[in-house]
Each structure stands twice: as structure tokens, then as C-alpha cells.
mmCIF file of all heavy atoms in Angstrom:
data_model
loop_
_atom_site.group_PDB
_atom_site.id
_atom_site.type_symbol
_atom_site.label_atom_id
_atom_site.label_comp_id
_atom_site.label_asym_id
_atom_site.label_seq_id
_atom_site.Cartn_x
_atom_site.Cartn_y
_atom_site.Cartn_z
ATOM 1 N N LEU A 1 0.824 -1.201 0.000
ATOM 2 C CA LEU A 1 0.000 0.000 0.000
ATOM 3 C C LEU A 1 0.860 1.254 0.000
ATOM 4 O O LEU A 1 1.861 1.334 0.714
ATOM 5 C CB LEU A 1 -0.903 0.015 1.238
ATOM 6 C CG LEU A 1 -1.752 1.271 1.449
ATOM 7 C CD1 LEU A 1 -2.837 1.360 0.385
ATOM 8 C CD2 LEU A 1 -2.357 1.271 2.833
ATOM 9 N N GLU A 2 0.490 2.204 -0.825
ATOM 10 C CA GLU A 2 1.122 3.516 -0.818
ATOM 11 C C GLU A 2 0.023 4.563 -0.930
ATOM 12 O O GLU A 2 -0.916 4.408 -1.699
ATOM 13 C CB GLU A 2 2.098 3.676 -1.983
ATOM 14 C CG GLU A 2 3.362 2.871 -1.832
ATOM 15 C CD GLU A 2 4.395 3.181 -2.904
ATOM 16 O OE1 GLU A 2 4.079 3.837 -3.907
ATOM 17 O OE2 GLU A 2 5.532 2.749 -2.727
ATOM 18 N N VAL A 3 0.134 5.604 -0.119
ATOM 19 C CA VAL A 3 -0.791 6.726 -0.205
ATOM 20 C C VAL A 3 0.009 7.991 -0.463
ATOM 21 O O VAL A 3 1.174 8.100 -0.084
ATOM 22 C CB VAL A 3 -1.651 6.898 1.075
ATOM 23 C CG1 VAL A 3 -2.529 5.687 1.310
ATOM 24 C CG2 VAL A 3 -0.803 7.188 2.286
ATOM 25 N N THR A 4 -0.635 8.937 -1.125
ATOM 26 C CA THR A 4 0.001 10.204 -1.441
ATOM 27 C C THR A 4 -0.677 11.308 -0.647
ATOM 28 O O THR A 4 -1.902 11.411 -0.648
ATOM 29 C CB THR A 4 -0.114 10.496 -2.949
ATOM 30 O OG1 THR A 4 0.502 9.437 -3.677
ATOM 31 C CG2 THR A 4 0.575 11.810 -3.303
ATOM 32 N N GLY A 5 0.122 12.082 0.041
ATOM 33 C CA GLY A 5 -0.365 13.248 0.760
ATOM 34 C C GLY A 5 0.230 14.483 0.115
ATOM 35 O O GLY A 5 1.335 14.437 -0.414
ATOM 36 N N SER A 6 -0.528 15.569 0.142
ATOM 37 C CA SER A 6 0.002 16.783 -0.462
ATOM 38 C C SER A 6 -0.475 18.009 0.305
ATOM 39 O O SER A 6 -1.408 17.929 1.109
ATOM 40 C CB SER A 6 -0.414 16.884 -1.927
ATOM 41 O OG SER A 6 -1.811 17.023 -2.031
ATOM 42 N N SER A 7 0.174 19.124 0.029
ATOM 43 C CA SER A 7 -0.204 20.400 0.646
ATOM 44 C C SER A 7 0.158 21.517 -0.313
ATOM 45 O O SER A 7 0.922 21.316 -1.264
ATOM 46 C CB SER A 7 0.481 20.585 1.995
ATOM 47 O OG SER A 7 1.874 20.721 1.833
ATOM 48 N N GLY A 8 -0.391 22.688 -0.013
ATOM 49 C CA GLY A 8 -0.080 23.847 -0.843
ATOM 50 C C GLY A 8 -0.523 23.681 -2.281
ATOM 51 O O GLY A 8 0.153 24.145 -3.194
ATOM 52 N N GLY A 9 -1.634 22.974 -2.476
ATOM 53 C CA GLY A 9 -2.111 22.769 -3.846
ATOM 54 C C GLY A 9 -1.156 21.943 -4.686
ATOM 55 O O GLY A 9 -1.043 22.136 -5.890
ATOM 56 N N GLY A 10 -0.462 21.012 -4.031
ATOM 57 C CA GLY A 10 0.467 20.139 -4.746
ATOM 58 C C GLY A 10 1.904 20.627 -4.770
ATOM 59 O O GLY A 10 2.750 20.028 -5.429
ATOM 60 N N LEU A 11 2.200 21.696 -4.035
ATOM 61 C CA LEU A 11 3.581 22.182 -3.990
ATOM 62 C C LEU A 11 4.500 21.184 -3.293
ATOM 63 O O LEU A 11 5.661 21.041 -3.661
ATOM 64 C CB LEU A 11 3.655 23.538 -3.287
ATOM 65 C CG LEU A 11 3.040 24.725 -4.033
ATOM 66 C CD1 LEU A 11 3.063 25.969 -3.162
ATOM 67 C CD2 LEU A 11 3.780 24.968 -5.344
ATOM 68 N N VAL A 12 3.967 20.520 -2.265
ATOM 69 C CA VAL A 12 4.722 19.483 -1.562
ATOM 70 C C VAL A 12 3.899 18.204 -1.600
ATOM 71 O O VAL A 12 2.710 18.207 -1.287
ATOM 72 C CB VAL A 12 5.023 19.884 -0.102
ATOM 73 C CG1 VAL A 12 5.695 18.736 0.650
ATOM 74 C CG2 VAL A 12 5.906 21.119 -0.050
ATOM 75 N N THR A 13 4.522 17.114 -2.016
ATOM 76 C CA THR A 13 3.859 15.818 -2.110
ATOM 77 C C THR A 13 4.724 14.772 -1.422
ATOM 78 O O THR A 13 5.949 14.759 -1.596
ATOM 79 C CB THR A 13 3.662 15.425 -3.590
ATOM 80 O OG1 THR A 13 2.947 16.455 -4.248
ATOM 81 C CG2 THR A 13 2.894 14.125 -3.717
ATOM 82 N N VAL A 14 4.073 13.911 -0.644
ATOM 83 C CA VAL A 14 4.771 12.798 -0.007
ATOM 84 C C VAL A 14 4.073 11.502 -0.384
ATOM 85 O O VAL A 14 2.870 11.479 -0.647
ATOM 86 C CB VAL A 14 4.815 12.934 1.538
ATOM 87 C CG1 VAL A 14 5.573 14.165 1.962
ATOM 88 C CG2 VAL A 14 3.427 12.921 2.142
ATOM 89 N N VAL A 15 4.835 10.435 -0.418
ATOM 90 C CA VAL A 15 4.281 9.099 -0.612
ATOM 91 C C VAL A 15 4.663 8.298 0.622
ATOM 92 O O VAL A 15 5.847 8.221 0.982
ATOM 93 C CB VAL A 15 4.818 8.423 -1.896
ATOM 94 C CG1 VAL A 15 4.293 7.004 -2.020
ATOM 95 C CG2 VAL A 15 4.454 9.246 -3.128
ATOM 96 N N LEU A 16 3.654 7.732 1.288
ATOM 97 C CA LEU A 16 3.866 6.927 2.493
ATOM 98 C C LEU A 16 3.482 5.487 2.209
ATOM 99 O O LEU A 16 2.509 5.223 1.505
ATOM 100 C CB LEU A 16 3.000 7.451 3.646
ATOM 101 C CG LEU A 16 3.201 8.900 4.062
ATOM 102 C CD1 LEU A 16 2.158 9.291 5.105
ATOM 103 C CD2 LEU A 16 4.592 9.102 4.616
ATOM 104 N N SER A 17 4.225 4.566 2.792
ATOM 105 C CA SER A 17 3.868 3.156 2.692
ATOM 106 C C SER A 17 2.782 2.848 3.713
ATOM 107 O O SER A 17 2.531 3.636 4.628
ATOM 108 C CB SER A 17 5.089 2.269 2.966
ATOM 109 O OG SER A 17 5.390 2.265 4.350
ATOM 110 N N GLY A 18 2.159 1.698 3.565
ATOM 111 C CA GLY A 18 1.162 1.254 4.523
ATOM 112 C C GLY A 18 1.741 1.046 5.904
ATOM 113 O O GLY A 18 1.017 0.961 6.886
ATOM 114 N N GLU A 19 3.055 0.962 5.971
ATOM 115 C CA GLU A 19 3.735 0.804 7.256
ATOM 116 C C GLU A 19 4.197 2.154 7.803
ATOM 117 O O GLU A 19 5.050 2.223 8.671
ATOM 118 C CB GLU A 19 4.909 -0.156 7.096
ATOM 119 C CG GLU A 19 4.421 -1.547 6.718
ATOM 120 C CD GLU A 19 5.556 -2.520 6.470
ATOM 121 O OE1 GLU A 19 6.600 -2.125 5.923
ATOM 122 O OE2 GLU A 19 5.364 -3.685 6.824
ATOM 123 N N LYS A 20 3.643 3.225 7.241
ATOM 124 C CA LYS A 20 3.889 4.598 7.687
ATOM 125 C C LYS A 20 5.324 5.068 7.458
ATOM 126 O O LYS A 20 5.840 5.928 8.159
ATOM 127 C CB LYS A 20 3.485 4.769 9.151
ATOM 128 C CG LYS A 20 2.031 4.475 9.398
ATOM 129 C CD LYS A 20 1.689 4.541 10.863
ATOM 130 C CE LYS A 20 0.219 4.336 11.095
ATOM 131 N NZ LYS A 20 -0.208 2.977 11.152
ATOM 132 N N GLU A 21 5.954 4.511 6.450
ATOM 133 C CA GLU A 21 7.323 4.891 6.107
ATOM 134 C C GLU A 21 7.287 5.893 4.951
ATOM 135 O O GLU A 21 6.545 5.703 3.983
ATOM 136 C CB GLU A 21 8.102 3.644 5.678
ATOM 137 C CG GLU A 21 9.510 3.914 5.218
ATOM 138 C CD GLU A 21 10.203 2.653 4.726
ATOM 139 O OE1 GLU A 21 9.791 1.550 5.101
ATOM 140 O OE2 GLU A 21 11.155 2.794 3.942
ATOM 141 N N LEU A 22 8.074 6.959 5.055
ATOM 142 C CA LEU A 22 8.174 7.941 3.986
ATOM 143 C C LEU A 22 8.937 7.311 2.827
ATOM 144 O O LEU A 22 10.093 6.928 2.968
ATOM 145 C CB LEU A 22 8.887 9.205 4.479
ATOM 146 C CG LEU A 22 9.088 10.308 3.449
ATOM 147 C CD1 LEU A 22 7.752 10.850 2.968
ATOM 148 C CD2 LEU A 22 9.944 11.418 4.028
ATOM 149 N N LYS A 23 8.260 7.197 1.678
ATOM 150 C CA LYS A 23 8.881 6.581 0.511
ATOM 151 C C LYS A 23 9.404 7.629 -0.469
ATOM 152 O O LYS A 23 10.365 7.384 -1.185
ATOM 153 C CB LYS A 23 7.874 5.683 -0.223
ATOM 154 C CG LYS A 23 7.315 4.553 0.618
ATOM 155 C CD LYS A 23 8.357 3.580 1.017
ATOM 156 C CE LYS A 23 8.309 2.359 0.155
ATOM 157 N NZ LYS A 23 9.330 1.401 0.423
ATOM 158 N N LYS A 24 8.718 8.792 -0.509
ATOM 159 C CA LYS A 24 9.091 9.799 -1.487
ATOM 160 C C LYS A 24 8.657 11.176 -0.992
ATOM 161 O O LYS A 24 7.609 11.315 -0.372
ATOM 162 C CB LYS A 24 8.398 9.484 -2.815
ATOM 163 C CG LYS A 24 8.821 10.313 -3.985
ATOM 164 C CD LYS A 24 8.132 9.792 -5.240
ATOM 165 C CE LYS A 24 8.641 10.513 -6.471
ATOM 166 N NZ LYS A 24 8.000 10.010 -7.689
ATOM 167 N N LEU A 25 9.464 12.164 -1.271
ATOM 168 C CA LEU A 25 9.155 13.558 -0.932
ATOM 169 C C LEU A 25 9.476 14.405 -2.151
ATOM 170 O O LEU A 25 10.593 14.361 -2.660
ATOM 171 C CB LEU A 25 9.990 14.018 0.266
ATOM 172 C CG LEU A 25 9.983 15.499 0.606
ATOM 173 C CD1 LEU A 25 8.589 15.951 1.029
ATOM 174 C CD2 LEU A 25 10.990 15.801 1.694
ATOM 175 N N GLU A 26 8.466 15.125 -2.648
ATOM 176 C CA GLU A 26 8.669 16.015 -3.789
ATOM 177 C C GLU A 26 8.337 17.437 -3.367
ATOM 178 O O GLU A 26 7.291 17.686 -2.771
ATOM 179 C CB GLU A 26 7.766 15.619 -4.953
ATOM 180 C CG GLU A 26 8.169 14.337 -5.638
ATOM 181 C CD GLU A 26 7.315 14.042 -6.864
ATOM 182 O OE1 GLU A 26 6.731 14.982 -7.441
ATOM 183 O OE2 GLU A 26 7.231 12.871 -7.226
#
């Protein structure tokens, strides 16, 4: 499982694993 969180209208995006691990930061 991976979920994407974002803020600032997509200025910052994170991808978290189902195990709550940060997989990606844009």
C-alpha cells in the first residue's frame, strides 16, 4: 500500500507506505 499526501495545492507531495514509512518527498 502507498498513499500520497500533499499540501499547498500540490507544492509538496509525499508518498507513504502502509507501514507509515516515507517513501518519497517532492
Side-chain angles (χ1 to χ4, degrees):
L1 175 69
E2 288 187 347
V3 298
T4 301
S6 65
S7 66
L11 290 174
V12 175
T13 304
V14 298
V15 176
L16 302 174
S17 74
E19 296 177 324
K20 300 175 176 84
E21 177 184 338
L22 179 63
K23 300 296 259 177
K24 188 175 186 179
L25 170 64
E26 289 185 23

